[in-house]
Amino acid sequence: MPVAAPFDPLYQLHFASRITDKPNESSDYEDVATFTYKRDNTVGYFCKGRKLLFGGPHFLKCYHYFRNNSFTMENFQTNNHALKMWFERLIRLTPLKMECPPLFQSINQALKEDTVMFENDQNPLKTIMQYNNGYYFLPMFYALVKHYSMKTNVLVDILKTMLDTEFYPILNRLEQVHENHMAATIMDFTINTIYFCGNNLYDRPPTMREKLDRIVQDSSRAILSVCTNEQLHKLIRNIQQRHFPISVLCLCNALKKPNRSYWNFLSESWQEVTANVEIHDHMTNLWVAIRTFLQTCRESGVNGGPDDQIVEKFHLPSLISTINSDSIMERKTIQMDRHKWFIRLKDGMLDVLTGHIGGTVPELYLSDRKLGIQIPRAQLMKLLSEDCPLRQLYKILINKTFFLRYLKQLFLDQTDHMLDTLREMISEEITDIAFDPYALSMLHFYTHLCKYMSFEHDMFMFMLDVLASSFIATNYERKFFVFKGITSNGKSKLFELLGKVFGGYYHNIQSDNLKPGNASSNATPELASLCFRAGSSRWKSWKEN
């Protein structure tokens, strides 16, 4: 019988081992096993050295790789008894069946590999789309349409078989979006959008250090399975692209050079990189977090991580220079905060095509500027439904016949309050209307606007067009309005109200910049940028006595 020695042997014999994605071409190694990754059907190879060596954790690394990634493999073929035994034993302990449509099997597999919290989740895609009442639903939907290159109605039919019935209204609205609008919306979405959403189903971290620790924890399986320096480069590169991507932003009509910006995952917005040292700091902090994680694993007795040789040979500046050069080569020309259908509110991103409020992702290219209003997501869908009483109320209020009847009624009844007369007339038109806060707000706005427009219907409708052109996240129509009138007739008050509603999207430029004779031979990029980027700007108020 074998006798257990009281001490570890002085030397351990082993064969060099590695896992690659290419057949072995070196005479020092031989391929002893092949397998296929479920995610993308690529082939992996297990290579074994031909010479016995002293010391080293190579075989433990391979075992650790199998232990953590066996569920990602299939069609495992080998004549090596130890490898075959390891794989078959681990496969029996791993749940393989996923409760989702066959189309989403590969993405769910990738999410299970990418994030620890999905390790025992049979349908990560459903979990993400239904998280917090659909917080990331729209980015996920757009990314799926782009990833599978399918028609919107086809994806809607598939999702209806997977999601709960409470998501049917938003799916029905997406089905009505025009194909051209959908094509423009999904242009920048990729599979990384899905990974990003899956990695952010947590409370927002208060500090970058906590966020980095969370990233490393989610990537622990991949980090501990790294066997080569090239795999380590690829791993950190994927983390960088997924969690804080860097893009070159070229603002139209800004008269500025393109700015390199990075995604700040704490504020969920883009921030300009003022110096290359910021990129270096992000990557350095991430690398320190990974090294700390590996050191902790070694101290706690966890075997199988990358050895010191790989860690010490990793060249961080070379990876950073690659990221910078790639971002410059790609040079995405995007329009920050000028997408026609995306507006940031206090409680999330509003898609004006669907009326859905949810979370922001890098592909939306929104800054941290927000509207000064907050709309409950559940309430908004009710307001946008076809049978909503507010739609009927709006159609009545803009009708010219009703407008003239209202003016006549004010003269005949001589009521003490304009609002009371309006409420009585609306109650006659819509018998079962309930004057909720939104309906009362519309009536208040209507009475004040009628008064300020001196009950001139054409001017009233023109003012509605002016306001409607501002209530969109861009000035792409290049409209320029001049307001004039007697003193204290509401011009300044109107813009004060707009400033409160538009919040960060509103900007007030100095009127001196528009005076005659103030021209200069020097360019004023800040002025041009503000004029074209602001959703609503106060151009100038003309006052005449």
Side-chain angles (χ1 to χ4, degrees):
M1 296 178 62
V3 179
F7 305 103
D8 293 333
L10 295 178
Y11 300 102
Q12 291 181 348
L13 295 177
H14 71 93
F15 290 100
S17 306
R18 64 184 184 183
I19 296 175
T20 66
D21 55 358
K22 296 180 180 179
N24 172 53
E25 297 179 355
S26 173
S27 59
D28 296 333
Y29 289 84
E30 62 175 330
D31 295 335
V32 295
T34 61
F35 54 87
T36 304
Y37 287 106
K38 296 179 181 179
R39 180 191 297 197
D40 50 13
N41 291 325
T42 57
V43 179
Y45 299 86
F46 181 88
C47 302
K48 176 183 174 183
R50 297 180 184 273
K51 298 180 181 179
L52 277 172
L53 303 176
F54 288 100
H58 292 73
F59 75 96
L60 286 177
K61 273 194 241 181
C62 293
Y63 177 75
H64 185 85
Y65 189 88
F66 282 139
R67 184 179 65 184
N68 291 281
N69 296 280
S70 59
F71 72 95
T72 70
M73 308 174 187
E74 61 183 356
N75 302 326
F76 191 86
Q77 299 178 3
T78 181
N79 293 325
N80 186 289
H81 179 72
L83 288 178
K84 189 174 182 179
M85 179 182 65
W86 287 352
F87 184 75
E88 291 178 349
R89 180 185 300 172
L90 294 170
I91 269 303
R92 289 195 297 268
L93 302 177
T94 306
L96 299 178
K97 184 179 179 181
M98 295 188 191
E99 300 173 356
C100 66
L103 179 68
F104 300 140
Q105 288 280 357
S106 59
I107 291 184
N108 276 328
Q109 183 73 37
L111 288 169
K112 288 168 70 70
E113 298 175 33
D114 193 69
T115 308
V116 172
M117 66 178 299
F118 297 131
E119 188 171 3
N120 298 317
D121 194 329
Q122 293 301 310
N123 196 345
L125 205 61
K126 179 179 179 180
T127 301
I128 301 172
M129 298 192 79
Q130 296 191 165
Y131 166 73
N132 194 13
N133 297 322
Y135 188 71
Y136 285 120
F137 177 86
L138 274 185
M140 292 287 292
F141 184 89
Y142 293 145
L144 289 173
V145 172
K146 179 67 178 295
H147 179 70
Y148 287 112
S149 300
M150 63 170 54
K151 297 290 185 180
T152 305
N153 58 340
V154 177
L155 181 59
V156 166
D157 292 338
I158 297 175
L159 290 177
K160 283 185 176 180
T161 64
M162 183 179 76
L163 302 180
D164 297 340
T165 55
E166 62 188 62
F167 288 89
Y168 284 12
I170 180 63
L171 288 172
N172 293 334
R173 290 190 65 84
L174 283 166
E175 203 169 14
Q176 299 172 7
V177 175
H178 195 276
E179 292 182 4
N180 294 340
H181 292 168
M182 183 62 66
T185 301
I186 67 175
M187 186 179 302
D188 294 309
F189 285 87
T190 64
I191 190 68
N192 276 337
T193 307
I194 299 176
Y195 294 143
F196 176 89
C197 297
N199 280 288
N200 284 274
L201 301 190
Y202 307 95
D203 294 332
R204 186 180 301 176
T207 64
M208 182 172 293
R209 179 180 180 85
E210 292 187 21
K211 178 62 177 179
L212 290 174
D213 291 341
R214 186 176 295 167
I215 293 174
V216 173
Q217 181 62 35
D218 282 340
S219 307
S220 60
R221 180 188 294 115
I223 294 172
L224 291 175
S225 301
V226 167
C227 298
T228 65
N229 197 9
E230 292 76 13
Q231 291 177 349
L232 197 57
H233 275 76
K234 183 178 179 181
L235 170 66
I236 300 182
R237 181 65 182 277
N238 289 338
I239 293 175
Q240 186 274 335
Q241 290 179 336
R242 191 165 301 167
H243 293 280
F244 36 88
I246 300 172
S247 293
V248 175
L249 313 181
C250 181
L251 300 175
C252 295
N253 308 103
L255 304 180
K256 287 184 177 181
K257 294 181 179 179
N259 299 323
R260 184 184 296 116
S261 298
Y262 70 93
W263 176 258
N264 188 321
F265 40 61
L266 297 179
S267 63
E268 294 186 353
S269 63
W270 288 94
Q271 292 187 358
E272 185 175 344
V273 179
T274 56
N276 287 336
V277 67
E278 293 190 17
I279 304 174
H280 185 275
D281 289 343
H282 280 298
M283 297 303 296
T284 302
N285 291 335
L286 177 63
W287 178 238
V288 169
I290 291 177
R291 292 187 63 165
T292 303
F293 173 76
L294 295 175
Q295 182 65 28
T296 303
C297 290
R298 280 192 283 268
E299 292 175 355
S300 61
V302 177
N303 297 314
D307 56 24
D308 294 332
Q309 186 178 10
I310 292 179
V311 173
E312 294 301 330
K313 284 187 176 181
F314 182 77
H315 192 231
L316 184 61
S318 64
L319 179 61
I320 294 175
S321 64
T322 305
I323 294 172
N324 290 340
S325 61
D326 281 2
S327 65
I328 294 174
M329 292 297 293
E330 294 175 5
R331 301 187 74 86
K332 278 188 176 180
T333 301
I334 64 171
Q335 301 178 351
M336 182 74 76
D337 279 342
R338 295 187 54 239
H339 199 291
K340 297 182 179 67
W341 306 299
F342 297 146
I343 305 175
R344 290 194 70 169
L345 306 179
K346 289 184 177 180
D347 51 351
M349 181 274 299
L350 168 64
D351 186 326
V352 297
L353 283 179
T354 63
H356 185 78
I357 299 178
T360 56
V361 297
E363 290 77 9
L364 296 174
Y365 294 111
L366 296 175
S367 72
D368 57 351
R369 299 191 300 173
K370 301 179 178 68
L371 284 181
I373 58 177
Q374 184 171 359
I375 306 176
R377 280 181 283 151
Q379 182 68 22
L380 188 61
M381 289 304 299
K382 297 180 180 179
L383 298 178
L384 294 173
S385 61
E386 294 295 334
D387 57 347
C388 177
L390 292 181
R391 284 178 173 254
Q392 304 177 40
L393 178 58
Y394 171 76
K395 293 178 181 179
I396 293 174
L397 292 177
I398 63 173
N399 184 276
K400 187 173 183 179
T401 303
F402 178 85
F403 180 87
L404 296 176
R405 285 177 50 220
Y406 176 50
L407 177 59
K408 180 179 179 181
Q409 195 70 18
L410 290 175
F411 282 108
L412 294 177
D413 288 356
Q414 296 181 352
T415 55
D416 296 331
H417 204 290
M418 297 173 59
L419 181 63
D420 294 337
T421 301
L422 183 60
R423 291 184 62 173
E424 292 176 3
M425 294 183 64
I426 293 298
S427 299
E428 295 175 358
E429 296 286 338
I430 310 177
T431 56
D432 57 343
I433 186 172
F435 291 102
D436 59 15
Y438 296 101
L440 289 175
S441 177
M442 288 180 65
L443 298 185
H444 276 287
F445 176 79
Y446 187 82
T447 55
H448 287 295
L449 196 58
C450 286
K451 182 170 57 177
Y452 291 141
M453 297 298 105
S454 302
F455 282 90
E456 294 185 17
H457 186 264
D458 292 340
M459 188 183 300
F460 174 85
M461 295 303 297
F462 172 75
M463 193 62 194
L464 287 181
D465 289 339
V466 170
L467 296 176
S469 67
S470 298
F471 275 89
I472 196 168
T474 178
N475 189 26
Y476 69 98
E477 293 187 357
R478 300 293 185 265
K479 290 189 176 182
F480 189 97
F481 304 106
V482 177
F483 293 85
K484 65 178 182 178
I486 61 175
T487 304
S488 301
N489 68 339
K491 297 186 298 296
S492 299
K493 183 60 67 177
L494 172 64
F495 284 102
E496 289 178 11
L497 294 175
L498 287 177
K500 292 182 178 180
V501 171
F502 279 94
Y505 285 106
Y506 178 88
H507 188 79
N508 189 0
I509 66 175
Q510 296 297 324
S511 58
D512 292 341
N513 292 321
L514 300 176
K515 287 183 178 179
N518 197 34
S520 172
S521 58
N522 298 325
T524 55
E526 289 78 12
L527 173 62
S529 177
L530 290 172
C531 288
F532 286 104
R533 288 173 63 188
S536 174
S537 296
R538 177 182 177 181
W539 305 109
K540 189 176 182 181
S541 293
W542 292 83
K543 295 183 179 180
E544 297 181 358
N545 294 324

